[in-house]
Amino acid sequence: MEKVIEMKMNHLKQWTVGALSTAMVASSVLFAPAASAAVEPITVDAKAAFVIDNETNKILFNQNGDESLGIASMTKMMSIYLVLEAIEAGQINWDTQVPISSYALGISQDYELSNVPFRVDFTYTVKDLYEAMLIYSANGASIAMAELIAGSEADFVDMMTAKLDEWGVTDYSIYNSTGLPNYYADQYGELYPGAATDTENHMTARGVAVVADHLLDDYPEIIETSSIVEKTFMEGSEDEINMLTYNYMLPGMIYYRENVDGLKTGTTDDSGASFTGTAVENDMRIITVLIGATDNETRFMETSRLMDFAFDNFEKVTVIENGSAVETEGTISVAKGKEEEVGLIYGNDLTVVTPIAEDRQIDTALTLNKDLLNEDGMVEAPIEKGTVVGKVAVSIEGDDLGYLGSQSDEVSVAVATTVEKANAFALAWRWIASTTAKGWNAVTDFVTGFFN
């Protein structure tokens, strides 16, 4: 369950002017000494490892996560995403029949690879091949689906790279839809233009986490298939084959871990034993990426250590609740209103994943939207309750790894009550009072000058 923290704010103002705001209020809430939320790091026996919280995209662990490395069949997560996207767009459906090219057929008949063997005189559906890709890492199925959606694997790769660019993934090289070394494409089909036979797909562990995050966010139903341990391909036909998952952390498998329900393995000489896993505990779904373990046992045992690290050291906490007062800033000034100031409330909840601690320090900074303020830095009446006038950025001690992409902990702020515009008499009286006060101050300063 999420925890809710009652925030008791100290009041500290610091005025600045910037491109996006005319006012910033900085404050902090001290719950404990800085050391209370420290997380002891671990070292993972692999070339790279990366862990995020799926909901917030908070990075929980990063070991060499920005080196581009071989990713093998973890590539298929990108291929599967494009399959599901094509289904959502109505380009294909689960019952669409998939033609089998000589390239897909040749790969499928190579028994050194993960495959379901094809026949040219048999009918396969999108659902058949989708399940084979995800459960059994079938390479021929990936190629057949790429050709169905894009016309050729090369054009499908262009779709993959366009999507990666859209998501902000960098430092990658993708040549095929499977993750196989390129010499298989050279042997059975056609190399991606400009690719060498001795290369294969590369990506950073961070990039793989981005792909897995989008897959789970946009198509959460993938878990229904990635959690399947065993299924018969083309059941009842002459070519039926038993597909047993390569994810040995699922129920009944040798490295079973409770609450693991995906996602995708990958193994080549270049990639080593790699795995993108996902699990849920205490209402928190994490994604783990491990690249370059030496063997199967290390791949899954180290993934389990990563999961222990994440679940033992981090928790999901609601630090701000929708509608609660912004206690870092009592009121803001209102021009031309019946009331001359108005309080602020938060416009939405803010839930974060943070190091586990009985107490923690939370720093906040309030930024008001300059487009809603006049030249004196005031909002103008009339203004309705709930009108968003800015945002609060929150930083929490121990949160030093950041987020995927440009995401940060921010929540909108709005005015707490409606302020109607004052009538002309009231505005005139205020002007007279203000002018009189300014005039009196000027006279006072002038007279005082004789005595200085």
Side-chain angles (χ1 to χ4, degrees), residues 72-140:
S73 282
M74 294 192 299
T75 298
K76 294 186 178 75
M77 290 190 294
M78 192 72 242
S79 298
I80 288 165
Y81 185 97
L82 293 180
V83 170
L84 293 171
E85 187 176 60
I87 292 172
E88 182 181 37
Q91 179 183 348
I92 57 176
N93 60 58
W94 292 115
D95 295 322
T96 298
Q97 295 186 6
V98 185
I100 304 301
S101 67
S102 59
Y103 176 25
L105 178 68
I107 288 287
S108 79
Q109 296 290 339
D110 190 326
Y111 292 97
E112 293 183 353
L113 306 176
S114 302
N115 268 314
V116 288
F118 289 148
R119 287 170 37 178
V120 293
D121 59 345
F122 211 88
T123 300
Y124 305 95
T125 67
V126 166
K127 185 176 182 181
D128 294 331
L129 301 195
Y130 166 80
E131 291 177 342
M133 290 169 67
L134 192 50
I135 300 170
Y136 207 47
S137 198
N139 291 289

Side-chain angles (χ1 to χ4, degrees), residues 100 142 147 208 237 246 305 314 351-352 395 403 430-431:
I100 304 301
S142 296
E147 293 173 335
V208 175
S237 73
Y246 290 101
R305 286 185 66 224
F314 294 88
T351 298
V352 300
S395 59
Y403 290 81
R430 287 180 193 168
W431 181 84

